[in-house]
């Protein structure tokens, strides 16, 4: 696991109803329990806390340890800067206790003059994993002061030694880290304690995943994703339009390539329409669309494209020669069914429902969640890409890991919500996300937008209403 996963899991835990207060309580009590298991009770303990959540874990550890030990809490910094609600809550509790001595250290000169000689254990809860570069004052002086007692007192860090990985860091005997060992950590002993994350968090998609996927990087038009949607036929124009509309809320530019006949029915200034000759796609259109694909970051192919023989041939030829990340949806999937070899070496997401999955792979995905997930994972591994199986719970895998999404409701059985989903996945690919994250977050946002529509309108609504709720879903995620 990576440090990034810590933030995602914390946000997704909150989404599941597990509060940051609970997690901080469990983390701090885990630190206290580990210290007493290692060193016993009746100790003289100094806890050095910063003003962030790492410091908050220190506040909780100090309270738990105060029951059987003599504890002094040193707050390094200004108490007005204690950031989170849960850290402040635990600070206020400590201030009301008579058997925990509190000293506030704002001045580096005073820190340098401290004598910690009488302490058996020093707890370092100064800085967490999110800090960059060398620590600044007064934290730097606190680190240097604690290090003077390395080898004399036991030094225990919360999550990781403060200052790590810079040269100015705590010389800890060990760190108590939470739930799992982080792959970025090295060079110090770690004790892993559980803090109440349920198993769901390995697999569930939530706002934490979405927050990381939706970050905009550029400041100029086109730097935050360009997408090409290829779809539509003489019979259908709504499907590619819905995919494009949903995507337009997330990326800077959406090109919509359609045969000229259905293209004449689309008039939306947010989309760049690229009509091609005729009523349906044929192999003659491959070269011009490959040329257009060079100007974008990702391509969606399939919504409303139809199943004519020449169109199926066009889809296969285009995919075979396209070097962009692809979302293959709807009739595009049926075009592939007879020849999955065209996917070799490609970066892609397939978005089948249960029926399309059976057509593609010759096996119907049913049964309980884990069994279904293992089937999807096996097929994703076989074809070397990502499969997003749509259903009451969407199941997503890249062949190595699997995710599932619980957002969405019965109102989303209405036609077109799958096209909105394809648009979101394509947009997230165009933003530069790897396919498993793009597919997972696309499913989450699609269902979340649908749930927001249901809240307003009940279970009777259209796919266009879901597409129009996408910016509201994104806003909710970014503020969560």
């Amino acid at each position: 696991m990576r440090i990034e996963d810590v933030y995602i899991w914390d946000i997704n835990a909150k989404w599941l109803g597990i509060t940051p207060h609970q997690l901080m309580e469990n983390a701090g009590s885990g630190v206290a329990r580990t210290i007493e298991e290692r060193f016993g009770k009746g100790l003289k303990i100094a806890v050095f806390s910063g003003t962030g959540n790492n410091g908050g874990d220190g506040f909780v550890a100090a309270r738990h340890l105060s029951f059987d030990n003599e504890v002094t809490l040193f707050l390094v910094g200004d108490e007005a800067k204690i950031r989170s609600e849960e850290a402040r809550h635990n600070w206020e509790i400590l201030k009301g206790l008579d058997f925990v001595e509190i000293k506030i250290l704002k001045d580096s000169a005073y820190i340098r003059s401290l004598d910690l000689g009488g302490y058996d254990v020093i707890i370092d809860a100064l800085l967490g994993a999110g800090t960059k570069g060398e620590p600044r004052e007064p934290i730097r002086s606190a680190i240097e002061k604690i290090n003077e007692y390395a080898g004399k007192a036991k030094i225990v860090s919360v999550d990781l030694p403060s200052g790590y990985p810079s040269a100015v860091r705590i010389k800890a005997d060990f760190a108590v880290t939470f739930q799992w060992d982080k792959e970025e950590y090295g060079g110090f002993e770690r004790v892993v304690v559980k803090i109440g994350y349920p198993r769901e968090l390995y697999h569930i998609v939530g706002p934490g995943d979405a927050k990381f996927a939706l970050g905009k990087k550029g400041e100029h038009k086109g730097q935050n994703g360009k997408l090409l949607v290829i779809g539509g036929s003489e019979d259908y124009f709504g499907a590619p339009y819905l995919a494009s509309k949903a995507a337009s809320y997330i990326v800077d530019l959406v090109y919509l390539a359609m045969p000229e006949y259905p293209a004449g029915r689309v008039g939306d200034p947010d989309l760049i329409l690229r009509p091609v000759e005729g009523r349906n796609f044929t192999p003659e259109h491959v070269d011009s669309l490959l040329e257009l694909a060079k100007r974008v970051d990702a391509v969606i192919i399939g919504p409303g494209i139809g199943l004519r023989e020449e169109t199926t041939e066009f889809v296969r030829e285009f995919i075979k020669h396209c070097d962009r990340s692809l979302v293959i949806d709807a009739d595009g999937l049926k075009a592939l069914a007879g020849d999955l070899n065209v996917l070799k070496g490609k970066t892609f997401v397939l978005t089948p429902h249960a029926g399309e999955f059976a057509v593609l792979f010759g096996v119907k995905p049913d049964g309980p969640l884990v069994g279904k997930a293992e089937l999807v994972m096996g097929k994703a591994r076989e074809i070397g890409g990502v499969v997003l199986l749509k259903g009451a719970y969407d199941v997503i895998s890249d062949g190595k890991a699997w995710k599932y999404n619980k957002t969405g409701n019965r109102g989303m059985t209405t036609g077109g919500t799958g096209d909105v989903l394809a648009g979101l996945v394509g947009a997230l690919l165009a933003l530069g996300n790897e396919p498993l994250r793009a597919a997972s977050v696309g499913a989450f946002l699609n269902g979340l937008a649908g749930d927001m529509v249901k809240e307003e309108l009940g279970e009777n609504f259209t796919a266009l209403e879901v597409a129009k709720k996408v910016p509201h879903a994104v806003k909710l995620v970014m503020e969560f």
Side-chain angles (χ1 to χ4, degrees), residues 231-268:
S233 61
E234 63 184 344
D235 300 319
Y236 306 106
F237 77 95
Y241 172 69
L242 287 166
S244 304
K245 189 67 184 170
S248 70
Y249 292 111
I250 289 177
V251 293
D252 286 353
L253 297 171
V254 180
Y255 296 90
L256 172 52
M258 296 174 77
E260 58 192 353
Y261 172 71
R265 303 166 76 181
V266 175
D268 189 325

Side-chain angles (χ1 to χ4, degrees), residues 66-79:
S66 73
F67 192 78
D68 283 309
N69 306 279
E70 190 184 323
V71 178
T72 304
L73 187 289
F74 296 93
L75 179 71
V76 182
D78 184 348
E79 68 173 301

Side-chain angles (χ1 to χ4, degrees), residues 228-232 240 255-257 281 289 299-303 305 314 318:
L228 169 60
V229 179
I230 301 172
Y255 296 90
L256 172 52
F281 285 103
L289 288 171
V299 177
I300 299 170
I301 186 165
I305 209 163
F314 158 78
F318 179 86

Side-chain angles (χ1 to χ4, degrees), residues 11 25 31 61-62 100 105 142 147 153 172 197-198 200 228 231 237 323 339 360 408 430 456 461 468:
I11 295 164
E25 184 67 24
V31 172
V100 175
L105 311 175
N147 283 346
Y197 289 135
E200 270 80 355
L228 169 60
F237 77 95
D323 62 357
D339 188 11
L360 276 172
E456 274 182 30
F461 52 82
K468 286 177 176 174

Side-chain angles (χ1 to χ4, degrees), residues 320-337:
K320 198 184 289 181
H321 295 100
C322 181
D323 62 357
R324 293 294 185 257
S325 298
L326 291 156
V327 179
I328 303 161
D329 184 48
D331 292 338
L333 294 170
K334 297 187 184 86
L336 281 184

